[in-house]
Amino acid sequence: MPSFPSARVINLDRSPQRWEAIAARLGALGSPFERVAGVDGRAEPERCAAACDQRAVEAYMRRPLINGEIACALGHLEIWRSLAETDEEMFLVLEDDADFDESLLVLPDLIAALPDDWEILLLSTKGRQPLWSKTVGEHEVVRYHRPATFAIGYVIHRRLLAKRREWDQPVRFAFDMWRFWAWRHGLVLYASNPRLVHHLQDQKSTISGSETRVTARPGLVTILRGALLRLGLYPRAWWQRRTVRRGL
């Protein structure tokens, strides 16, 4: 039986109250955890601009990413990379506005029920078009063809490091667009049902700050580029779906 994975909590230096609150909740569970300083898009705009391929972003999402969204992705990817520098088999990754209770203690049982190919277990979102599932008491783990968004809480396994050349690249889409991680980068994702991690209702996002997301209609060239890009993803997505249904 796997042990409870060590947690890494993303927290901005300007949000010490959030760190204190989530540290208390994790401490109550008896879970090992560490704070990871998040990348602050408000304080490091040049770093965010250099780390993002906005042309690809607009093709994927039909809008550019704001610095806060890029910084969010950079913070998560730093944790992914840091797994290679430890002897840990997996990390529980949490954002500092994650909400959970003692039901999270079922996590080792869910991990034990996963097939040996899993690389990410989503805890704060589900998806559409389930391909496989397994019941674990009152919970289940599911592999979706189209996993939904939200990256408030999830578990990564060091198997994803074997695909580092695939995912350790400039930011090309919002970090929580999980279907692109599966379809473009070939990562194997499952999700817990029901969700074990939620967003704290009284917490406002620290991602955007004073930034405003661009909502203007994209140009024709951007639309066509995005259509071609997505068209290129569909064969891989179809093959993954076919493979899972035939053999998982």
Side-chain angles (χ1 to χ4, degrees):
M1 174 69 67
S3 58
F4 199 96
S6 176
R8 297 296 185 270
V9 182
I10 301 173
N11 170 252
L12 296 180
D13 291 339
R14 55 182 163 88
S15 301
Q17 298 85 358
R18 291 193 175 197
W19 165 246
E20 293 169 2
I22 195 169
R25 292 196 296 277
L26 285 169
L29 293 181
S31 166
F33 61 92
E34 292 182 14
R35 176 183 179 271
V36 176
V39 179
D40 194 336
R42 187 187 305 174
E44 300 183 81
E46 295 84 4
R47 177 181 177 184
C48 292
C52 182
D53 181 349
Q54 288 286 13
R55 182 176 180 180
V57 168
E58 293 190 26
Y60 275 105
M61 304 187 64
R62 298 188 179 182
R63 67 168 179 85
L65 292 179
I66 60 175
N67 286 337
E69 291 173 306
I70 301 168
C72 176
L74 295 179
H76 282 271
L77 291 174
E78 283 188 2
I79 293 178
W80 290 21
R81 297 184 193 106
S82 72
L83 184 55
E85 302 167 3
T86 73
D87 295 327
E88 301 277 357
E89 187 176 24
M90 63 192 78
F91 282 160
L92 167 62
V93 184
L94 297 168
E95 295 182 349
D96 62 8
D97 55 354
D99 189 22
F100 48 84
D101 55 28
E102 64 276 1
S103 64
L104 189 59
L105 294 174
V106 75
L107 187 54
D109 295 322
L110 299 184
I111 292 172
L114 289 169
D116 291 338
D117 65 344
W118 79 275
E119 292 165 340
I120 300 178
L121 173 61
L122 305 175
L123 304 177
S124 57
T125 191
K126 294 188 286 187
R128 291 187 291 166
Q129 301 175 351
L131 303 175
W132 175 92
S133 66
K134 185 172 184 178
T135 300
V136 183
E138 297 180 353
H139 299 77
E140 65 176 349
V141 286
V142 186
R143 184 168 181 179
Y144 293 101
H145 178 58
R146 294 178 64 91
T149 57
F150 290 122
I152 304 167
Y154 59 93
V155 182
I156 56 172
H157 192 282
R158 66 184 307 110
R159 272 187 289 267
L160 63 73
L161 294 173
K163 299 175 182 175
R164 183 166 178 172
R165 292 184 63 182
E166 282 271 349
W167 54 258
D168 198 356
Q169 301 177 7
V171 177
R172 290 185 170 90
F173 44 80
F175 181 79
D176 63 355
M177 300 294 289
W178 292 114
R179 68 180 183 274
F180 292 149
W181 288 110
W183 297 355
R184 175 183 169 81
H185 299 302
L187 299 186
V188 181
L189 293 85
Y190 294 81
S192 63
N193 183 27
R195 292 176 295 171
L196 296 176
V197 179
H198 303 266
H199 179 262
L200 277 173
Q201 296 301 314
D202 61 343
Q203 296 281 1
K204 293 182 178 180
S205 173
T206 57
I207 289 178
S208 59
S210 59
E211 296 178 275
T212 302
R213 289 183 173 88
V214 175
T215 57
R217 183 178 178 84
L220 179 60
V221 173
T222 298
I223 292 175
L224 292 175
R225 188 186 303 125
L228 290 172
L229 184 151
R230 290 167 185 262
L231 186 63
L233 293 178
Y234 290 148
R236 188 171 191 175
W238 174 85
W239 180 254
Q240 289 174 355
R241 181 177 181 177
R242 181 175 181 270
T243 302
V244 171
R245 284 189 164 175
R246 291 185 62 182
L248 189 58

Coordinates of all heavy atoms in Angstrom, one line a residue, residues 89 111-121 131-132 141-143 155-163 186-191 240 243-245 247-248:
E89 N 8.8 9.1 -4.8 CA 8.1 8.5 -5.9 C 7.1 9.4 -6.5 O 6.8 9.3 -7.7 CB 7.5 7.1 -5.5 CG 6.9 6.3 -6.7 CD 6.4 5.0 -6.2 OE1 6.1 4.8 -5.0 OE2 6.3 4.1 -7.1
I111 N -4.5 5.6 -5.0 CA -3.3 5.4 -5.7 C -3.0 4.0 -5.9 O -2.6 3.5 -7.0 CB -2.1 6.1 -4.9 CG1 -2.3 7.7 -5.0 CG2 -0.8 5.7 -5.5 CD1 -1.3 8.4 -4.1
A112 N -3.3 3.2 -4.9 CA -3.0 1.7 -5.0 C -3.9 1.1 -6.0 O -3.6 0.0 -6.6 CB -3.3 1.0 -3.6
A113 N -5.1 1.7 -6.3 CA -6.0 1.1 -7.3 C -5.7 1.5 -8.7 O -6.3 1.0 -9.6 CB -7.5 1.6 -6.9
L114 N -4.8 2.4 -8.9 CA -4.5 2.9 -10.3 C -3.7 1.9 -11.0 O -2.8 1.2 -10.5 CB -3.7 4.2 -10.2 CG -4.5 5.5 -9.7 CD1 -3.5 6.6 -9.4 CD2 -5.5 5.9 -10.7
P115 N -3.9 1.9 -12.4 CA -3.0 1.0 -13.2 C -1.5 1.6 -13.1 O -1.3 2.7 -12.7 CB -3.6 1.2 -14.6 CG -5.0 1.7 -14.4 CD -4.9 2.5 -13.1
D116 N -0.6 0.7 -13.5 CA 0.8 1.0 -13.4 C 1.3 2.1 -14.4 O 2.5 2.5 -14.3 CB 1.7 -0.2 -13.6 CG 1.5 -1.2 -12.5 OD1 1.1 -0.8 -11.4 OD2 1.8 -2.4 -12.7
D117 N 0.4 2.6 -15.3 CA 0.9 3.6 -16.2 C 0.6 5.0 -15.8 O 0.9 6.0 -16.5 CB 0.2 3.4 -17.6 CG -1.3 3.5 -17.6 OD1 -1.9 3.6 -16.5 OD2 -1.9 3.7 -18.7
W118 N -0.1 5.2 -14.6 CA -0.5 6.6 -14.3 C 0.6 7.5 -14.0 O 1.7 7.1 -13.5 CB -1.5 6.5 -13.1 CG -0.8 6.4 -11.7 CD1 -0.4 5.2 -11.1 CD2 -0.4 7.4 -10.8 NE1 0.2 5.5 -9.9 CE2 0.2 6.8 -9.7 CE3 -0.6 8.8 -10.9 CZ2 0.6 7.6 -8.6 CZ3 -0.1 9.5 -9.8 CH2 0.5 8.9 -8.7
E119 N 0.4 8.7 -14.4 CA 1.5 9.8 -14.2 C 0.9 11.0 -13.4 O 1.6 11.6 -12.7 CB 2.0 10.2 -15.5 CG 2.8 9.1 -16.2 CD 3.1 9.4 -17.7 OE1 2.3 10.2 -18.3 OE2 4.0 8.8 -18.2
I120 N -0.4 11.2 -13.5 CA -1.0 12.3 -12.8 C -2.4 11.8 -12.3 O -3.2 11.2 -13.1 CB -1.2 13.6 -13.7 CG1 0.1 14.1 -14.2 CG2 -2.0 14.7 -12.9 CD1 0.1 15.3 -15.0
L121 N -2.7 12.1 -11.1 CA -4.0 11.8 -10.5 C -4.6 13.1 -10.1 O -4.2 13.8 -9.2 CB -3.9 10.9 -9.3 CG -5.3 10.7 -8.5 CD1 -6.3 10.0 -9.4 CD2 -5.0 9.8 -7.3
L131 N -13.2 6.5 -19.9 CA -12.7 5.3 -20.6 C -12.5 4.1 -19.7 O -12.5 3.0 -20.2 CB -11.4 5.7 -21.3 CG -11.4 6.9 -22.2 CD1 -10.0 7.2 -22.7 CD2 -12.4 6.7 -23.4
W132 N -12.3 4.4 -18.4 CA -12.0 3.3 -17.5 C -12.3 3.8 -16.1 O -12.1 5.0 -15.8 CB -10.5 2.9 -17.6 CG -10.0 1.9 -16.6 CD1 -10.0 0.6 -16.8 CD2 -9.5 2.2 -15.3 NE1 -9.4 0.0 -15.6 CE2 -9.1 1.0 -14.7 CE3 -9.3 3.4 -14.6 CZ2 -8.6 0.8 -13.4 CZ3 -8.7 3.3 -13.3 CH2 -8.4 2.0 -12.7
V141 N -11.6 5.9 -9.1 CA -10.6 6.6 -10.0 C -11.1 6.3 -11.4 O -11.5 5.2 -11.8 CB -9.2 6.1 -9.7 CG1 -8.7 6.6 -8.4 CG2 -9.1 4.6 -9.7
V142 N -11.0 7.4 -12.2 CA -11.5 7.4 -13.6 C -10.5 7.9 -14.5 O -9.8 8.9 -14.2 CB -12.8 8.2 -13.7 CG1 -13.4 8.0 -15.1 CG2 -13.8 7.8 -12.6
R143 N -10.4 7.3 -15.7 CA -9.6 7.9 -16.8 C -10.6 8.5 -17.8 O -11.4 7.7 -18.3 CB -8.7 6.9 -17.5 CG -7.8 7.5 -18.5 CD -6.7 6.6 -19.0 NE -5.9 7.3 -20.0 CZ -4.8 6.7 -20.6 NH1 -4.4 5.5 -20.3 NH2 -4.1 7.4 -21.5
V155 N -1.8 14.7 -7.9 CA -0.6 14.0 -7.5 C 0.2 13.7 -8.8 O -0.4 13.3 -9.8 CB -1.0 12.6 -6.8 CG1 0.3 11.9 -6.4 CG2 -1.9 12.9 -5.6
I156 N 1.5 13.8 -8.7 CA 2.3 13.5 -9.9 C 3.2 12.3 -9.5 O 3.7 12.2 -8.3 CB 3.2 14.6 -10.4 CG1 4.0 15.2 -9.2 CG2 2.3 15.7 -11.0 CD1 5.1 16.2 -9.7
H157 N 3.4 11.4 -10.4 CA 4.3 10.3 -10.2 C 5.6 10.5 -11.0 O 5.6 11.1 -12.1 CB 3.7 9.0 -10.7 CG 4.4 7.7 -10.3 ND1 5.5 7.3 -10.9 CD2 4.2 6.9 -9.3 CE1 6.0 6.2 -10.3 NE2 5.2 5.9 -9.3
R158 N 6.7 10.0 -10.5 CA 8.0 10.3 -11.2 C 8.1 9.7 -12.6 O 9.0 10.0 -13.4 CB 9.2 9.9 -10.4 CG 9.4 8.5 -10.1 CD 10.6 8.3 -9.1 NE 11.8 8.9 -9.6 CZ 12.3 10.0 -9.0 NH1 11.8 10.6 -8.0 NH2 13.5 10.5 -9.5
R159 N 7.1 8.8 -13.0 CA 7.1 8.3 -14.3 C 7.0 9.5 -15.4 O 7.5 9.3 -16.5 CB 5.9 7.4 -14.5 CG 6.2 5.9 -14.2 CD 5.1 5.0 -14.5 NE 3.9 5.2 -13.7 CZ 3.7 4.5 -12.5 NH1 4.5 3.6 -12.2 NH2 2.6 4.8 -11.8
L160 N 6.4 10.6 -15.0 CA 6.3 11.7 -16.0 C 7.6 12.3 -16.3 O 7.8 13.0 -17.4 CB 5.3 12.7 -15.5 CG 5.5 13.6 -14.3 CD1 6.6 14.6 -14.4 CD2 4.2 14.3 -13.9
L161 N 8.6 12.0 -15.5 CA 10.0 12.6 -15.8 C 10.5 11.9 -17.1 O 11.4 12.5 -17.7 CB 10.9 12.3 -14.6 CG 10.6 13.1 -13.3 CD1 11.5 12.6 -12.2 CD2 10.7 14.6 -13.5
A162 N 10.1 10.7 -17.4 CA 10.6 10.1 -18.6 C 10.1 10.9 -19.9 O 10.7 10.7 -21.0 CB 10.1 8.7 -18.7
K163 N 9.1 11.7 -19.7 CA 8.6 12.5 -20.9 C 8.9 14.0 -20.7 O 8.3 14.8 -21.3 CB 7.0 12.3 -20.9 CG 6.6 10.9 -21.2 CD 5.1 10.8 -21.1 CE 4.7 9.3 -21.3 NZ 3.2 9.1 -21.2
G186 N 1.2 13.5 -24.2 CA 1.1 12.0 -24.0 C 1.1 11.6 -22.5 O 1.3 10.5 -22.2
L187 N 0.8 12.6 -21.6 CA 0.8 12.2 -20.2 C -0.5 11.4 -19.9 O -1.5 11.6 -20.5 CB 0.8 13.5 -19.3 CG 2.1 14.3 -19.5 CD1 2.1 15.5 -18.4 CD2 3.3 13.5 -19.3
V188 N -0.4 10.5 -18.9 CA -1.5 9.6 -18.6 C -2.1 10.1 -17.3 O -1.5 10.1 -16.2 CB -1.0 8.2 -18.4 CG1 -2.2 7.2 -18.1 CG2 -0.3 7.7 -19.7
L189 N -3.4 10.6 -17.4 CA -4.1 11.2 -16.3 C -5.3 10.4 -15.9 O -6.0 9.9 -16.7 CB -4.6 12.6 -16.7 CG -3.5 13.7 -17.0 CD1 -3.0 13.6 -18.4 CD2 -4.1 15.1 -16.7
Y190 N -5.5 10.4 -14.6 CA -6.7 9.8 -14.0 C -7.3 10.9 -13.1 O -6.6 11.9 -12.8 CB -6.4 8.5 -13.2 CG -6.0 7.4 -14.1 CD1 -4.6 7.3 -14.6 CD2 -6.9 6.4 -14.5 CE1 -4.2 6.3 -15.4 CE2 -6.4 5.4 -15.3 CZ -5.1 5.3 -15.8 OH -4.7 4.3 -16.6
A191 N -8.5 10.7 -12.6 CA -9.1 11.6 -11.7 C -9.9 10.9 -10.6 O -10.4 9.8 -10.8 CB -10.1 12.6 -12.5
Q240 N -5.1 7.3 -28.4 CA -5.1 7.1 -26.9 C -6.4 6.5 -26.5 O -6.4 5.5 -25.7 CB -4.8 8.4 -26.2 CG -3.4 8.9 -26.3 CD -3.2 10.3 -25.7 OE1 -4.2 10.9 -25.2 NE2 -2.0 10.8 -25.7
T243 N -6.7 2.9 -27.7 CA -5.8 2.0 -26.9 C -6.3 1.7 -25.6 O -6.3 0.5 -25.1 CB -4.4 2.6 -26.8 OG1 -3.9 2.9 -28.1 CG2 -3.4 1.7 -26.1
V244 N -6.8 2.7 -24.9 CA -7.3 2.5 -23.5 C -8.6 1.6 -23.6 O -8.7 0.7 -22.7 CB -7.7 3.9 -22.9 CG1 -8.5 3.7 -21.6 CG2 -6.5 4.7 -22.7
R245 N -9.4 1.8 -24.5 CA -10.7 1.0 -24.5 C -10.4 -0.5 -24.9 O -11.1 -1.4 -24.4 CB -11.6 1.6 -25.5 CG -12.3 2.9 -25.0 CD -13.4 3.3 -25.9 NE -14.3 4.3 -25.2 CZ -15.3 4.9 -25.8 NH1 -15.5 4.7 -27.1 NH2 -16.1 5.7 -25.2
G247 N -7.4 -2.1 -24.2 CA -6.4 -2.9 -23.4 C -6.3 -2.5 -22.0 O -5.6 -3.3 -21.2
L248 N -6.9 -1.4 -21.5 CA -6.6 -1.0 -20.1 C -7.3 -1.9 -19.1 O -8.5 -2.2 -19.3 CB -7.0 0.5 -19.9 CG -6.6 1.1 -18.6 CD1 -5.1 1.0 -18.4 CD2 -7.1 2.5 -18.5

